[in-house]
Amino acid sequence: MSILEIDQLAKKFGSEKILAQLRFHVNEGEFVSLLGPSGSGKSTIFHLIGGLFKPDHGTIRLDGKEISGQKGYISYMPQTPSLLPWRTILENVILGVELYEKPDKEKAIHMLERVGLADYTNAYPHELSGGMRQRVAFVRSILSPQSFICLDEPFSALDEFTRFDMQKWLLSIWEEERPSVLFVTHNIEEAIFLSDRILVLGSKPAQVIKEINIDFERPRREELTLTPEFLLVKKEIYQTLRGVLND
Ligand code: ADP
Ligand code: MG
């Protein structure tokens, strides 16, 4: 089980209100994206969920248990993949799980094969491209024992083609394991292609200004992004975000 419920969440930095009365939830096995402009407070939301700091107000519950200010309950993939340079790729992906139990190396190797890194299990991070390192960081978060995964703009540094490959590949892994995912992005297409539900965030303070269910059938294929139905959703979100930016 992994249900996340956020209620009345508030956070200030100095006198600046970043979050106020933020409320949303992620259901079991659901893929939800937070979509909002840069600086709207997306990473702050993740840092609060991950327990890196405490909210001023409000509650964060995982399966009914209050987890505010506590680390270790969710698997968190940060914006830049923080791999340990002195560890091999295999040693890096079992890093999260190692803290809790004896790692299943067979499974780790299988996952590395699934993401096209079979030849790199004994390589070191500096031998890999940026996209490969992102995949390693993602495998690490999938392998960690926490079943709730937060991904903070994992593909934002990649070029368009690599990004799309990574999205397709992320979906294929997600469909296999079906963890609950909270995904942060400022890319509209990416959010539509991946998600079951999109929460569009307004900024200062961040709040959910629109919630959109994405009902496209799974597994999703690349062609989906060119259909009129897809473009219609894209337009709706674009207009919502434009409204936010013009405020
Ligand atoms: P996003 O991830 O949506 O781009 P962030 O959550 O990183 O946005 O930042 C939201 C706002 O909070 C920004 O204005 C940023 O400058 C501010 N902020 C983030 N972290 C801190 C911090 N530790 N101290 C002070 N201000 C911060
Ligand atoms: Mg951020």
Side-chain angles (χ1 to χ4, degrees):
M1 267 247 305
S2 271
I3 298 171
L4 181 77
E5 294 163 291
I6 296 212
D7 198 20
Q8 300 289 320
L9 200 65
K11 181 73 189 171
K12 274 187 190 173
F13 286 123
S15 60
E16 196 174 24
K17 267 190 195 173
I18 308 297
L19 315 175
Q21 304 192 318
L22 182 71
R23 184 162 190 267
F24 67 86
H25 70 278
V26 179
N27 286 322
E28 171 67 18
E30 195 181 22
F31 197 123
V32 174
S33 287
L34 288 175
L35 178 69
S38 287
S40 57
K42 303 183 296 297
S43 293
T44 302
I45 296 169
F46 270 20
H47 294 151
L48 288 168
I49 296 172
L52 298 186
F53 42 71
K54 284 194 85 143
D56 300 334
H57 287 287
T59 55
I60 303 169
R61 289 206 179 85
L62 188 66
D63 298 333
K65 183 180 154 51
E66 172 65 60
I67 59 162
S68 314
Q70 300 178 60
K71 290 189 196 134
Y73 284 96
I74 58 143
S75 167
Y76 173 69
M77 179 176 163
Q79 237 164 316
T80 46
S82 45
L83 305 180
L84 299 179
W86 59 87
R87 283 192 149 213
T88 64
I89 297 311
L90 180 60
E91 288 165 349
N92 263 286
V93 296
I94 58 177
L95 191 64
V97 72
E98 219 174 51
L99 299 171
Y100 299 88
E101 59 200 52
K102 192 171 179 302
D104 180 347
K105 285 198 179 165
E106 298 270 301
K107 185 175 182 194
I109 291 170
H110 166 74
M111 291 300 280
L112 286 168
E113 282 167 0
R114 286 279 283 112
V115 305
L117 295 175
D119 295 339
Y120 292 88
T121 50
N122 294 315
Y124 287 88
H126 74 269
E127 300 173 67
L128 276 63
S129 70
M132 289 164 141
R133 285 200 284 264
Q134 287 286 7
R135 280 180 266 169
V136 174
F138 180 70
V139 169
R140 183 176 56 193
S141 51
I142 281 271
L143 286 175
S144 66
Q146 300 90 345
S147 49
F148 194 95
I149 299 180
C150 284
L151 302 167
D152 192 354
E153 310 211 35
F155 309 140
S156 60
L158 307 175
D159 64 69
E160 194 75 11
F161 299 105
T162 315
R163 173 193 274 264
F164 203 62
D165 280 345
M166 295 282 289
Q167 289 165 3
K168 284 189 288 193
W169 159 86
L170 165 63
L171 274 191
S172 74
I173 302 257
W174 177 76
E175 273 151 15
E176 217 171 85
E177 308 256 326
R178 287 277 172 156
S180 309
V181 173
L182 185 60
F183 186 93
V184 158
T185 182
H186 59 256
N187 185 303
I188 301 177
E189 270 196 26
E190 174 169 274
I192 307 172
F193 186 62
L194 297 174
S195 314
D196 294 317
R197 194 152 54 88
I198 297 176
L199 307 171
V200 181
L201 288 183
S203 55
K204 305 283 157 83
Q207 52 202 296
V208 179
I209 53 170
K210 192 162 207 161
E211 186 174 327
I212 301 164
N213 286 314
I214 309 293
D215 297 325
F216 298 122
E217 217 173 79
R218 296 185 188 270
R220 293 183 183 162
R221 294 157 55 87
E222 196 164 344
E223 295 76 49
L224 171 67
T225 60
L226 299 172
T227 61
E229 294 78 14
F230 189 97
L231 296 174
L232 205 65
V233 180
K234 189 174 164 184
K235 190 170 164 196
E236 181 187 351
I237 297 176
Y238 184 74
Q239 283 167 345
T240 306
L241 279 172
R242 262 195 94 91
V244 177
L245 295 172
N246 290 338
D247 275 350

